[in-house]
Structure formats: C-alpha cells, structure tokens
Amino acid sequence: MSRWPPWAVLTPGEPARLESRARAIVMTDWDEEVGKEPPFEIIPGSGRYHAIAGTDPSDVGAEMQIAEELSLECDEPVYSIERANDPWTVMSWRNGALEVEEVDPDALAKSLGCPLPGSEKASDRAARKPLRTVALIEGVRAEEAHRVLEENHGAPLSPGRYHLEDTPRGLLLAGGTGGMNFADITLSERLPHATVYGVTASPRLDMFFVTMMRAGEGIERFTRPFRPDPCVPEVSEIKGERSPERILAALGIPAEWFMNE
C-alpha cells in the first residue's frame, strides 16, 4: 500500500494475531466462503504498536468495530483513525469506551512507531477525494438539534461548528468547522422520535451510502457500490428513488455539499 489508508487502527499486539482478530470482527462467513480479500492490510511497526490499515473507503466504520473489540483485550489504548471524511477523526479506546482525540493521525502513528502509508506526501491531503456526510433529520428543528448537540458536547458550540438548516423536508445537518463527528447518530440516539437519513458520498457520487436510523439504530441501508451489512437490511431505493442524484433530490440535500472545496 502506497496511498494513505481511508481508515486505520493502531494497536499493540502480535501482527499475525491482529490480522486473525480483525478478519473475525469485520468479515462474514459468506466473505470467507467466496474468498473475499480482507478490507485492510497489517503494517508492522517498530515497537509494540502495529497498524491495521484500511484499503477501501466504503468500509469506513470498520475501524471503530475493530478498535472497540481489541481494546477489550489489552491494557494499553487502541486508536482508531477515520481519514475518509474531512476533517480526520482520531479516537482512543480503553475497555470498549471511546474518547475523541485532538491529534494529527500521522503524528500519532509516527510517535507509536507505526507510520501510515502516504504520510510523508505533502500533496496527499490536497489530492485525495474525501467522503463527506450530510443528514436529513425528519421531525426535528434546528433549535432543538442545536440544544441537544450542546448538551452532548458539554459546552456552547463554537460558531460554524455545524451547519443546521430547516427545510420543508426536515432539518439538514452537515459538519462545519469540526466535521460531522457522528452528530447525526447523536441526534438519532437522543431524539428517538426523529427519522435520520445519513448520506455519505464522494464528490462525484460514485461512492454513495445512505443509512436510515431511528433511536440510534440502523433501519435500512442503501449502498452504491453494493456493500452489504449483516446488521442493517439493504434496500434498493430511498423514498422511491434509486439513483444517487434523485435520492439527494428526494431528501432535499444539495449535491454540491459533497464537492471538494
């Protein structure tokens, strides 16, 4: 692997065992039966920590599953890095509990003795095509969502922290100065009456994923390219539409919100 990984896990352990555990966590029996390649590579470090580096942006989220499970098996912190969205998200995990870290992922990886591929390329960040997440939240107004997000944050939100816009179809939510940072999931958990459509897409919409949530749980999932999730039923349409462009129109989400700035 020479390009930056869209996600990674930095963890202590023995590389062969880490590969076996990661496969067991993210791959299904069907994946194994058809000989599907794992969506990651093991990159041995120079010390106790090694990197599990993702190879497919559509598997973003696997890093949290892997880090949570591995953190239950060791005394040292395990770190998950999500680099597909902008800005990047780094979390530390101890005994299954997470905490968001305000650190540079490449600097963290280097300090642990397992630098990530592509971290030395100065033009890498500018050249990449990040996935971005925007959500439509039905049954919630911007004022209520802002209050809930402030309560969850434990302090007043900085200006521009999130983009909140009331529309006839519902509340549109996008990341502002700090990215989405799972705000759509937080609102779904805290406001169980709401229906949340979380859309993650690339600038050209060639990678396009929609998860419908209620009470913090995935109800339906639409993916292009097709990426089945054993925990959430896959559907062929959202609000009667089957193409990314028409789904965005049905949700009232401007396609340009996913474009590179």
Side-chain angles (χ1 to χ4, degrees):
M1 177 187 289
S2 59
R3 61 188 293 272
W4 61 269
W7 58 267
V9 174
L10 309 177
T11 178
E14 193 277 320
R17 180 181 179 278
L18 293 176
E19 179 175 8
S20 176
R21 288 292 295 120
R23 290 179 70 106
I25 293 167
V26 301
M27 297 187 70
T28 65
D29 292 341
W30 182 84
D31 292 333
E32 298 285 356
E33 289 177 7
V34 301
K36 179 183 175 182
E37 291 294 320
F40 60 81
E41 293 182 10
I42 302 296
I43 303 175
S46 59
R48 282 188 48 75
Y49 276 79
H50 309 285
I52 303 171
T55 55
D56 190 337
S58 66
D59 284 302
V60 166
E63 77 284 354
M64 297 181 66
Q65 292 177 279
I66 295 171
E68 180 180 9
E69 291 292 330
L70 293 182
S71 73
L72 298 171
E73 303 170 8
C74 62
D75 296 328
E76 297 164 274
V78 176
Y79 299 93
S80 64
I81 299 172
E82 187 262 278
R83 305 207 308 177
N85 288 290
D86 197 0
W88 300 332
T89 301
V90 179
M91 296 181 179
S92 62
W93 298 78
R94 292 177 183 269
N95 296 319
L98 69 87
E99 182 174 344
V100 178
E101 301 286 349
E102 299 294 333
V103 297
D104 178 78
D106 290 323
L108 173 64
K110 187 175 181 180
S111 72
L112 294 173
C114 49
L116 297 172
S119 59
E120 301 301 322
K121 297 179 181 180
S123 61
D124 184 59
R125 184 180 176 98
R128 64 196 178 90
K129 297 179 179 180
L131 298 175
R132 291 185 176 166
T133 299
V134 180
L136 170 70
I137 306 175
E138 296 176 336
V140 176
R141 303 289 292 175
E143 182 178 0
E144 182 181 16
H146 188 276
R147 175 183 57 78
V148 170
L149 291 173
E150 277 200 335
E151 291 174 354
N152 185 71
H153 185 62
L157 298 175
S158 59
R161 178 64 182 82
Y162 296 106
H163 180 88
L164 300 163
E165 180 179 326
D166 288 321
T167 76
R169 293 180 177 86
L171 171 66
L172 293 187
L173 168 68
T177 56
M180 181 68 92
N181 202 22
F182 310 109
D184 54 334
I185 299 176
T186 296
L187 290 174
S188 180
E189 292 173 337
R190 297 283 302 275
L191 301 170
H193 64 280
T195 299
V196 177
Y197 294 87
V199 181
T200 299
S202 61
R204 294 183 179 180
L205 307 183
D206 51 335
M207 300 187 70
F208 188 84
F209 315 106
V210 184
T211 300
M212 178 182 172
M213 294 177 285
R214 291 196 187 100
E217 298 291 334
I219 304 299
E220 296 178 347
R221 191 166 183 259
F222 175 98
T223 60
R224 294 293 183 273
F226 178 62
R227 303 293 299 185
D229 183 332
C231 298
V232 183
E234 185 77 15
V235 296
S236 61
E237 61 183 41
I238 296 291
K239 289 189 176 292
E241 303 294 349
R242 296 174 179 267
S243 72
E245 293 81 4
R246 293 187 65 85
I247 289 173
L248 289 180
L251 296 175
I253 299 176
E256 56 266 24
W257 284 19
F258 299 95
M259 300 298 180
N260 287 315
E261 296 179 348

